[in-house]
Amino acid sequence: MAAHPVDEKLPALKMATSGLQHVAAMYAGVVAPPLIVGAAIGLSGKDLTFLTGACLFTAGLATFLQTLDFWKIGARLPFVNGVTFAGVAPMTAIVATAKDKSDALPMIFGAVIVAGLLGFIAAPFFSKAVRFFPPVVTGSVITLIGVSLLPVAFGWAQGPNPAAHDYGSTTNLALAAVTLLIVLLLRRFTRGFVKQIAVLLGLIIGTIIAIPFGVTDFSPVAHADAVGFPTPFHFGAPTFHIAAILSMCVVMVVSMTESTADMLALGEIVERPSDEKVIAAGLRADTLGSALSPLFNGFMCSAFAQNIGLVAMTRIRSRFVVAVGGGFLVLMGLCPMAASLIAAVPRPVLGGAGVVLFGSVAASGVQTLVRAGLEKDNNVLIVAVSLAVGIIPITTPDFYHAFPDTAKIVLDSGISTGCVAAVVLNLLFNHIGKGQEAEDVTHPMEAGEELTPAH
């Protein structure tokens, strides 16, 4: 009996090239979170390179857990795992509340370890409770992730230092705009592999264009080692703070929700539907990978949705192809010089690419909301209020200034507050005391009005 395409082992060359394509499709997404958090802390070029390499290394390990056979761990689907965007805003909030910036990473690592272990224990129960996280909740949260990260891209576009004389200069903004244009043109006029790595190519071309303007610094590359290992607890032993842990537990719920949705989608694409058992095993891989990641100075891991699109496009469904991609990620993490190349990319260039990268996350959330049944007034209200609550820290950063610093770690993260609001409102409107179906409406404040040509 022939093996299912998911379990098929392809010829070595095809395995290698297809694995590299998966890495190229998600590379920019893996390195963006450590760049954001590292910049918020003010890490040196060397430490930023180390943090980036550590995240590549741990992404490879998490991908192994998801794709290969190991007890009841891993969905055994062609999933690429890496640092989740959902954790970026809460982690930067933790950095902002840390009195000593050097304490921020140990606080983050401790919170991720606890959240990962709790998530591992909760995985089989969470797979049963998936009905409480319908598209109206996941779509709202994913949209907030993208919207929360867009200001980071706008900040990058202006330059690395708000106090510098050239911050927001026409040169910096032009470099960001040119990079954005390059990515858009590559996405519009190329195909296949080149189209998939448009963001990566945009970063490379944008960096080359920036050289004559004197904003490109290759010193981190020159001082980086060709071979290195992400030494455990390089930034200090993990510390455990209840507010930070609570914040990352919320992120873990968001991450598990996203991964569940991704597993359901990928199962349909590869024609091996994901049942409750597969979802539980996949969530165990996500959460265990997240719990182990801080030991090697990495962040919370989750499935990368953009790679699902790559599987659908190429029709290469082998999980071993993705495992090979995980091997490439580990090798890149063991080569600090390769990781330092990203640290050399000018911030305005990163800003231009970030508009596409973070905007795409928001767009994927909108795509999910399309399936959320927004013809129901209940769902419109859930989306409206959860988005409003989540956008508060973005539009009015000092809104919660009167609250204690520990509370602000959660409140200053629009993703965390928006997720809590969406889950609670979904329970209130769609589960608790539900005796009748919600009416179809055209506006949440006009519950009885029907859609007519006049309207």
Side-chain angles (χ1 to χ4, degrees), residues 12 15-17 19-20 23 63-64 67 319-329:
M15 290 268 281
T17 54
L20 274 174
V23 173
T63 300
F64 287 153
T67 55
R319 60 190 172 98
F320 297 107
V321 164
V322 173
V324 169
F328 282 122
L329 288 170

PDB file of all heavy atoms in Angstrom, residues 12 15-17 19-20 23 63-64 67 319-329:
ATOM      1  N   ALA A  12      16.388  13.252  -2.495  1.00  0.00           N
ATOM      2  CA  ALA A  12      17.156  14.152  -1.628  1.00  0.00           C
ATOM      3  C   ALA A  12      17.185  15.591  -2.142  1.00  0.00           C
ATOM      4  O   ALA A  12      16.991  16.539  -1.368  1.00  0.00           O
ATOM      5  CB  ALA A  12      18.574  13.610  -1.484  1.00  0.00           C
ATOM      6  N   MET A  15      13.848  17.228  -1.698  1.00  0.00           N
ATOM      7  CA  MET A  15      13.629  17.464  -0.272  1.00  0.00           C
ATOM      8  C   MET A  15      14.376  18.723   0.168  1.00  0.00           C
ATOM      9  O   MET A  15      13.832  19.568   0.895  1.00  0.00           O
ATOM     10  CB  MET A  15      14.128  16.260   0.539  1.00  0.00           C
ATOM     11  CG  MET A  15      13.284  15.011   0.378  1.00  0.00           C
ATOM     12  SD  MET A  15      11.972  14.830   1.600  1.00  0.00           S
ATOM     13  CE  MET A  15      12.919  14.224   2.990  1.00  0.00           C
ATOM     14  N   ALA A  16      15.631  18.864  -0.286  1.00  0.00           N
ATOM     15  CA  ALA A  16      16.455  19.995   0.137  1.00  0.00           C
ATOM     16  C   ALA A  16      15.918  21.315  -0.404  1.00  0.00           C
ATOM     17  O   ALA A  16      15.759  22.294   0.338  1.00  0.00           O
ATOM     18  CB  ALA A  16      17.892  19.782  -0.309  1.00  0.00           C
ATOM     19  N   THR A  17      15.632  21.353  -1.715  1.00  0.00           N
ATOM     20  CA  THR A  17      15.167  22.603  -2.311  1.00  0.00           C
ATOM     21  C   THR A  17      13.782  22.996  -1.787  1.00  0.00           C
ATOM     22  O   THR A  17      13.522  24.171  -1.527  1.00  0.00           O
ATOM     23  CB  THR A  17      15.130  22.495  -3.848  1.00  0.00           C
ATOM     24  OG1 THR A  17      14.346  21.349  -4.230  1.00  0.00           O
ATOM     25  CG2 THR A  17      16.540  22.334  -4.405  1.00  0.00           C
ATOM     26  N   GLY A  19      12.560  22.147   1.128  1.00  0.00           N
ATOM     27  CA  GLY A  19      12.758  22.561   2.512  1.00  0.00           C
ATOM     28  C   GLY A  19      13.269  23.987   2.607  1.00  0.00           C
ATOM     29  O   GLY A  19      12.819  24.774   3.456  1.00  0.00           O
ATOM     30  N   LEU A  20      14.207  24.343   1.724  1.00  0.00           N
ATOM     31  CA  LEU A  20      14.726  25.712   1.698  1.00  0.00           C
ATOM     32  C   LEU A  20      13.628  26.705   1.349  1.00  0.00           C
ATOM     33  O   LEU A  20      13.598  27.828   1.868  1.00  0.00           O
ATOM     34  CB  LEU A  20      15.862  25.825   0.678  1.00  0.00           C
ATOM     35  CG  LEU A  20      17.267  25.454   1.171  1.00  0.00           C
ATOM     36  CD1 LEU A  20      18.253  25.475   0.013  1.00  0.00           C
ATOM     37  CD2 LEU A  20      17.718  26.423   2.274  1.00  0.00           C
ATOM     38  N   VAL A  23      11.758  27.525   4.389  1.00  0.00           N
ATOM     39  CA  VAL A  23      12.532  28.431   5.240  1.00  0.00           C
ATOM     40  C   VAL A  23      12.466  29.855   4.696  1.00  0.00           C
ATOM     41  O   VAL A  23      12.277  30.817   5.449  1.00  0.00           O
ATOM     42  CB  VAL A  23      13.999  27.956   5.339  1.00  0.00           C
ATOM     43  CG1 VAL A  23      14.848  28.998   6.078  1.00  0.00           C
ATOM     44  CG2 VAL A  23      14.074  26.620   6.066  1.00  0.00           C
ATOM     45  N   THR A  63       9.997  22.747  14.950  1.00  0.00           N
ATOM     46  CA  THR A  63       9.532  22.142  13.699  1.00  0.00           C
ATOM     47  C   THR A  63       9.751  20.625  13.714  1.00  0.00           C
ATOM     48  O   THR A  63       8.904  19.868  13.229  1.00  0.00           O
ATOM     49  CB  THR A  63      10.262  22.773  12.495  1.00  0.00           C
ATOM     50  OG1 THR A  63       9.982  24.173  12.466  1.00  0.00           O
ATOM     51  CG2 THR A  63       9.814  22.148  11.179  1.00  0.00           C
ATOM     52  N   PHE A  64      10.872  20.189  14.266  1.00  0.00           N
ATOM     53  CA  PHE A  64      11.114  18.737  14.414  1.00  0.00           C
ATOM     54  C   PHE A  64      10.008  18.094  15.246  1.00  0.00           C
ATOM     55  O   PHE A  64       9.490  17.023  14.904  1.00  0.00           O
ATOM     56  CB  PHE A  64      12.472  18.482  15.090  1.00  0.00           C
ATOM     57  CG  PHE A  64      13.662  18.759  14.216  1.00  0.00           C
ATOM     58  CD1 PHE A  64      14.876  19.124  14.779  1.00  0.00           C
ATOM     59  CD2 PHE A  64      13.587  18.648  12.837  1.00  0.00           C
ATOM     60  CE1 PHE A  64      15.980  19.370  13.987  1.00  0.00           C
ATOM     61  CE2 PHE A  64      14.691  18.899  12.027  1.00  0.00           C
ATOM     62  CZ  PHE A  64      15.891  19.255  12.606  1.00  0.00           C
ATOM     63  N   THR A  67       6.733  17.734  13.182  1.00  0.00           N
ATOM     64  CA  THR A  67       6.685  16.927  11.957  1.00  0.00           C
ATOM     65  C   THR A  67       7.091  15.470  12.147  1.00  0.00           C
ATOM     66  O   THR A  67       6.652  14.605  11.378  1.00  0.00           O
ATOM     67  CB  THR A  67       7.599  17.547  10.879  1.00  0.00           C
ATOM     68  OG1 THR A  67       8.928  17.696  11.411  1.00  0.00           O
ATOM     69  CG2 THR A  67       7.088  18.903  10.440  1.00  0.00           C
ATOM     70  N   ARG A 319       5.625  15.769   5.079  1.00  0.00           N
ATOM     71  CA  ARG A 319       6.078  16.381   6.333  1.00  0.00           C
ATOM     72  C   ARG A 319       7.586  16.319   6.476  1.00  0.00           C
ATOM     73  O   ARG A 319       8.185  17.122   7.202  1.00  0.00           O
ATOM     74  CB  ARG A 319       5.392  15.721   7.526  1.00  0.00           C
ATOM     75  CG  ARG A 319       5.636  14.222   7.682  1.00  0.00           C
ATOM     76  CD  ARG A 319       4.722  13.644   8.753  1.00  0.00           C
ATOM     77  NE  ARG A 319       4.758  12.188   8.833  1.00  0.00           N
ATOM     78  CZ  ARG A 319       5.483  11.507   9.697  1.00  0.00           C
ATOM     79  NH1 ARG A 319       6.238  12.138  10.582  1.00  0.00           N
ATOM     80  NH2 ARG A 319       5.443  10.184   9.706  1.00  0.00           N
ATOM     81  N   PHE A 320       8.217  15.384   5.776  1.00  0.00           N
ATOM     82  CA  PHE A 320       9.671  15.257   5.863  1.00  0.00           C
ATOM     83  C   PHE A 320      10.373  16.402   5.131  1.00  0.00           C
ATOM     84  O   PHE A 320      11.500  16.769   5.474  1.00  0.00           O
ATOM     85  CB  PHE A 320      10.118  13.905   5.316  1.00  0.00           C
ATOM     86  CG  PHE A 320       9.583  12.745   6.112  1.00  0.00           C
ATOM     87  CD1 PHE A 320       8.563  11.941   5.609  1.00  0.00           C
ATOM     88  CD2 PHE A 320      10.073  12.471   7.371  1.00  0.00           C
ATOM     89  CE1 PHE A 320       8.051  10.886   6.351  1.00  0.00           C
ATOM     90  CE2 PHE A 320       9.579  11.413   8.128  1.00  0.00           C
ATOM     91  CZ  PHE A 320       8.560  10.613   7.614  1.00  0.00           C
ATOM     92  N   VAL A 321       9.715  16.978   4.135  1.00  0.00           N
ATOM     93  CA  VAL A 321      10.249  18.178   3.481  1.00  0.00           C
ATOM     94  C   VAL A 321      10.358  19.309   4.503  1.00  0.00           C
ATOM     95  O   VAL A 321      11.369  20.013   4.577  1.00  0.00           O
ATOM     96  CB  VAL A 321       9.344  18.598   2.306  1.00  0.00           C
ATOM     97  CG1 VAL A 321       9.638  20.027   1.869  1.00  0.00           C
ATOM     98  CG2 VAL A 321       9.537  17.658   1.127  1.00  0.00           C
ATOM     99  N   VAL A 322       9.316  19.478   5.311  1.00  0.00           N
ATOM    100  CA  VAL A 322       9.322  20.524   6.328  1.00  0.00           C
ATOM    101  C   VAL A 322      10.340  20.206   7.425  1.00  0.00           C
ATOM    102  O   VAL A 322      10.993  21.106   7.965  1.00  0.00           O
ATOM    103  CB  VAL A 322       7.912  20.697   6.916  1.00  0.00           C
ATOM    104  CG1 VAL A 322       7.924  21.664   8.083  1.00  0.00           C
ATOM    105  CG2 VAL A 322       6.956  21.196   5.839  1.00  0.00           C
ATOM    106  N   ALA A 323      10.512  18.917   7.751  1.00  0.00           N
ATOM    107  CA  ALA A 323      11.529  18.528   8.724  1.00  0.00           C
ATOM    108  C   ALA A 323      12.924  18.918   8.230  1.00  0.00           C
ATOM    109  O   ALA A 323      13.766  19.374   9.016  1.00  0.00           O
ATOM    110  CB  ALA A 323      11.455  17.030   8.988  1.00  0.00           C
ATOM    111  N   VAL A 324      13.166  18.747   6.922  1.00  0.00           N
ATOM    112  CA  VAL A 324      14.445  19.180   6.341  1.00  0.00           C
ATOM    113  C   VAL A 324      14.594  20.699   6.497  1.00  0.00           C
ATOM    114  O   VAL A 324      15.671  21.201   6.821  1.00  0.00           O
ATOM    115  CB  VAL A 324      14.537  18.767   4.861  1.00  0.00           C
ATOM    116  CG1 VAL A 324      15.730  19.438   4.184  1.00  0.00           C
ATOM    117  CG2 VAL A 324      14.653  17.256   4.739  1.00  0.00           C
ATOM    118  N   GLY A 325      13.479  21.420   6.277  1.00  0.00           N
ATOM    119  CA  GLY A 325      13.500  22.863   6.500  1.00  0.00           C
ATOM    120  C   GLY A 325      13.865  23.193   7.942  1.00  0.00           C
ATOM    121  O   GLY A 325      14.614  24.139   8.202  1.00  0.00           O
ATOM    122  N   GLY A 326      13.347  22.409   8.897  1.00  0.00           N
ATOM    123  CA  GLY A 326      13.718  22.594  10.295  1.00  0.00           C
ATOM    124  C   GLY A 326      15.202  22.380  10.517  1.00  0.00           C
ATOM    125  O   GLY A 326      15.831  23.081  11.317  1.00  0.00           O
ATOM    126  N   GLY A 327      15.783  21.420   9.782  1.00  0.00           N
ATOM    127  CA  GLY A 327      17.226  21.191   9.867  1.00  0.00           C
ATOM    128  C   GLY A 327      18.009  22.403   9.395  1.00  0.00           C
ATOM    129  O   GLY A 327      19.028  22.784  10.008  1.00  0.00           O
ATOM    130  N   PHE A 328      17.540  23.040   8.325  1.00  0.00           N
ATOM    131  CA  PHE A 328      18.206  24.258   7.835  1.00  0.00           C
ATOM    132  C   PHE A 328      18.124  25.376   8.872  1.00  0.00           C
ATOM    133  O   PHE A 328      19.075  26.143   9.066  1.00  0.00           O
ATOM    134  CB  PHE A 328      17.580  24.720   6.519  1.00  0.00           C
ATOM    135  CG  PHE A 328      18.023  23.921   5.321  1.00  0.00           C
ATOM    136  CD1 PHE A 328      17.092  23.264   4.529  1.00  0.00           C
ATOM    137  CD2 PHE A 328      19.365  23.825   4.980  1.00  0.00           C
ATOM    138  CE1 PHE A 328      17.489  22.523   3.420  1.00  0.00           C
ATOM    139  CE2 PHE A 328      19.777  23.081   3.879  1.00  0.00           C
ATOM    140  CZ  PHE A 328      18.833  22.435   3.090  1.00  0.00           C
ATOM    141  N   LEU A 329      16.974  25.485   9.545  1.00  0.00           N
ATOM    142  CA  LEU A 329      16.824  26.508  10.577  1.00  0.00           C
ATOM    143  C   LEU A 329      17.819  26.289  11.718  1.00  0.00           C
ATOM    144  O   LEU A 329      18.416  27.245  12.231  1.00  0.00           O
ATOM    145  CB  LEU A 329      15.395  26.498  11.121  1.00  0.00           C
ATOM    146  CG  LEU A 329      14.305  27.045  10.200  1.00  0.00           C
ATOM    147  CD1 LEU A 329      12.925  26.746  10.775  1.00  0.00           C
ATOM    148  CD2 LEU A 329      14.469  28.546   9.997  1.00  0.00           C
TER     149      LEU A 329
END
